Amino acid sequence: MNSKTKYTQCIKSEAKRLGFLSCGISKAEFLEQEAPRLEKWLNQNMHGEMQYMENHFDKRLDPTKLVDDSKSVISLLLNYFPSEKQKDSEAPKLSKYAYGTDYHFVIKDKLKQLLHFIEEEIGDVQGRAFVDSAPVLDKAWAAKSGLGWIGKNSNLLTQQVGSFYFIAELIIDLDLEYDTPVTDHCGTCTACIDACPTQAIVEPYVVDGSKCISYFTIELKEEIPNSYKNQFDDWMFGCDVCQDVCPWNRFSKPHNEPLFNPKPELLEMSKKDWQEITQEVFSKVFQKSAVKRTKFSGLKRNIDFLFED
Ligand code: SF4
Ligand code: SF4
């Protein structure tokens, strides 16, 4: 076995040991196919007020501009599919990824451990860890690395476990063996397009971010436009509709990361509890949670938008 094969196997088995669902590797190079797609999406203003999407256009498409002498992009998936859901079927809904501790912390920690392992086992390797934070097109890299295909709802899908997982990357200056993409298995299905409450999937594989409930409930700083009243299907933070209806998600299996378990009271809260939520309850229920991003005022705005006339 040559050293490239050995290092590749060694990294993949450590990723498994650390709890990642899967690990795929691509050569760090310019994302040629993505470039025109990203440019068109930005030109059509589908990023709404997410100004940060416009930044670092070159870096987004070329990892060698992010990490000096980078050779490989290691993509990793971490399952967050919960075993339990919110109890009150009338309560405003929270996207499943936000149930537990903020994934940025959980994943960063695992990525650091993986990088440390690589340095220990292989030697002087330079690299950087990315979790939804820097300008990396994580779905494109994961697809290029054979971890799944990008579905018509623009999520990464796998035949084995659907799409409820986080995607993260290590970009390192070590040559490794590279994986190849898998086939698209969306076929003639249009379930996600048909079910999207705001018709944000404007054509297969294109989500207009500026029409997506996740954007309105998490990214938008101002008031939610009244024209969207009664269209949010009771989502107060994020939206899982296009994943919930995806037939591949019947293969989702519960995660085994204790930090992703929600505080019990979060699942217990009734519609009335949410409507009456105070800053104090918010701080308790969402301590260390990604929901803190909207702050109390943002979540309250979303809840009021759902239930007030
Ligand atoms: S997350 Fe919700 S609003 Fe956004 S595209 Fe999917 S179904 Fe539509
Ligand atoms: S719902 Fe159907 S079309 Fe949409 S991503 Fe899933 S398989 Fe593809």
Side-chain angles (χ1 to χ4, degrees):
M1 198 190 291
N2 66 29
S3 54
K4 215 159 56 165
T5 312
K6 203 175 91 195
Y7 294 155
T8 304
Q9 287 182 0
C10 178
I11 291 171
K12 286 187 174 178
S13 65
E14 178 64 6
K16 266 247 143 80
R17 199 193 63 78
L18 287 168
F20 288 107
L21 204 55
S22 50
C23 168
I25 306 174
S26 284
K27 185 173 167 39
E29 60 188 0
F30 182 68
L31 280 173
E32 221 159 296
Q33 285 185 339
E34 285 304 311
R37 238 181 280 173
L38 177 63
E39 195 167 11
K40 194 171 160 204
W41 192 81
L42 289 170
N43 285 341
Q44 291 180 336
N45 229 1
M46 292 192 179
H47 55 306
E49 287 176 18
M50 295 178 277
Q51 230 75 75
Y52 60 85
M53 301 287 277
E54 291 171 29
N55 304 337
H56 313 293
F57 185 79
D58 289 348
K59 284 187 185 171
R60 271 175 184 277
L61 295 160
D62 192 349
T64 61
K65 293 200 160 75
L66 271 176
V67 177
D68 287 344
D69 295 323
S70 57
K71 302 280 189 313
S72 302
V73 179
I74 304 175
S75 292
L76 300 134
L77 306 185
L78 189 67
N79 186 10
Y80 65 78
F81 187 71
S83 54
E84 286 183 287
K85 297 208 178 121
Q86 291 171 267
K87 303 262 160 58
D88 182 356
S89 59
E90 296 201 341
K93 292 177 271 190
L94 185 73
S95 194
K96 290 184 258 306
Y97 82 82
Y99 276 14
T101 302
D102 190 336
Y103 61 98
H104 293 95
F105 303 127
V106 181
I107 302 178
K108 248 313 169 12
D109 192 50
K110 286 185 192 290
L111 289 179
K112 275 191 196 150
Q113 289 185 58
L114 185 57
L115 196 53
H116 183 69
F117 169 86
I118 295 171
E119 286 159 0
E120 294 271 291
E121 291 298 311
I122 301 171
D124 187 22
V125 177
Q126 302 299 317
R128 269 179 74 186
F130 298 95
V131 190
D132 203 21
S133 54
V136 180
L137 291 172
D138 47 19
K139 285 183 276 193
W141 285 108
K144 197 172 156 69
S145 306
L147 295 185
W149 74 97
I150 298 178
K152 291 180 193 173
N153 59 10
S154 97
N155 284 295
L156 187 84
L157 298 179
T158 63
Q159 285 182 290
Q160 295 76 28
V161 287
S163 62
F164 290 107
Y165 38 71
F166 298 110
I167 309 175
E169 303 79 28
L170 275 186
I171 301 181
I172 61 172
D173 64 352
L174 176 73
D175 260 322
L176 292 165
E177 285 191 338
Y178 302 127
D179 296 293
T180 47
V182 298
T183 324
D184 181 325
H185 291 280
C186 279
T188 55
C189 176
T190 56
C192 54
I193 301 171
D194 303 339
C196 174
T198 53
Q199 287 90 46
I201 309 176
V202 287
E203 58 180 278
Y205 307 99
V206 181
V207 172
D208 183 342
S210 71
K211 291 184 175 162
C212 177
I213 296 169
S214 289
Y215 162 74
F216 287 124
T217 55
I218 304 171
E219 306 283 346
L220 185 70
K221 299 281 170 279
E222 302 148 15
E223 288 304 303
I224 301 167
N226 255 326
S227 51
Y228 283 91
K229 206 88 189 162
N230 302 321
Q231 285 191 51
F232 277 16
D233 191 26
D234 288 350
W235 289 94
M236 66 170 160
F237 186 92
C239 165
D240 287 344
V241 173
C242 57
Q243 296 194 81
D244 285 337
V245 299
C246 178
W248 294 107
N249 273 324
R250 61 181 190 269
F251 301 116
S252 302
K253 295 171 194 78
H255 66 78
N256 51 16
E257 172 52 66
L259 289 169
F260 288 158
N261 290 334
K263 293 219 172 359
E265 53 265 52
L266 189 151
L267 300 182
E268 298 292 338
M269 283 173 76
S270 66
K271 177 178 174 182
K272 190 160 171 287
D273 293 333
W274 287 109
Q275 283 178 295
E276 293 170 357
I277 191 170
T278 59
Q279 170 75 61
E280 201 186 344
V281 174
F282 176 87
S283 306
K284 188 160 171 262
V285 174
F286 294 117
Q287 195 193 12
K288 294 192 188 156
S289 157
V291 178
K292 279 166 89 177
R293 179 150 172 210
T294 66
K295 304 199 175 74
F296 170 66
S297 57
L299 193 73
K300 185 85 179 96
R301 172 203 66 177
N302 297 346
I303 297 171
D304 290 347
F305 182 76
L306 294 178
F307 302 120
E308 281 182 1
D309 292 328

